[in-house]
Amino acid sequence: MTNISRRNLLYAFGVAYATPLIGAQTPSRRAAIAKPGESRFPFASQQFAQSATCKLTNEDSAGACSIFELGSPPKFGPPRHVHHREDEWYYVLAGNFIFEVGVEQHSLSAGASIWLPRDIAHCWANAGATNGKVILMCQPGGFEKFFDEAAQGPPLTSQDPGDLHKLHALHAKYGMELLGPPLFPSTPHVTDQR
C-alpha cells in the first residue's frame, strides 16, 4: 500500500470539498420591491391583474417562494383542490374568510393566518358581505405561472364538461387536482381567484 503524506491527503480532501463550490452560482442578492398596487409579474389578463398582484416572484426568491396579494369579492373563492407541489400560507388583510381544510372549517378575520401543507384538500372563500383581501405565500415559488394561465382559461367555477376537462388538465400540469365546487358555488364571477 502506498503511503500518502498528511499534507497530500489534506490537499486531496480540500480539492474534493471545494470543487463543487467553484462552479456554483450565487443567487442574486438584491432587494425585490413592489409598491402599493404594483405586481412584479406581468399577468397577461388585465382583469386578473386588477384583483391580484404578485409581490414576490419565483425569480426574485431564487425559487424559494412566490407571494401574492389577492382581492376577493363577497361569497367568492376557488373550488376544492389539492396541491402536490406547494405549501401555502394565507394572511387575512381584510374581510372574513372561511378555510375548509380536509374536513375542518376555520373562520378567519383580518390579522389571522393559516398554513396549508401540500397534499391536503382545501378551499376557501370570502364569507363576508364586502370585498376581502389576503396575502398568499406559495412555497416553492412559481405559482404565478398557474395564476397567469388560469386567468386566460375558462372560469374555475364552470360546470361545462369541455371547460372541466381543460381545468383538470391545467391543474394536473401544475401538480394539483381539482376536487369539487367552491364553498359558494352559485355566485358567478368572471375573474377567478385561487
Side-chain angles (χ1 to χ4, degrees), residues 71-118:
S72 179
K75 308 295 185 224
F76 180 75
R80 189 169 185 80
H81 61 282
V82 63
H83 297 257
H84 297 298
R85 295 180 191 164
E86 296 88 14
D87 298 315
E88 295 179 301
W89 176 77
Y90 288 87
Y91 179 85
V92 179
L93 290 172
N96 293 298
F97 287 80
I98 295 174
F99 284 82
E100 192 172 276
V101 184
V103 296
E104 298 178 349
Q105 267 198 3
H106 306 277
S107 295
L108 300 174
S109 57
S113 68
I114 188 168
W115 173 256
L116 302 177
R118 67 191 73 185

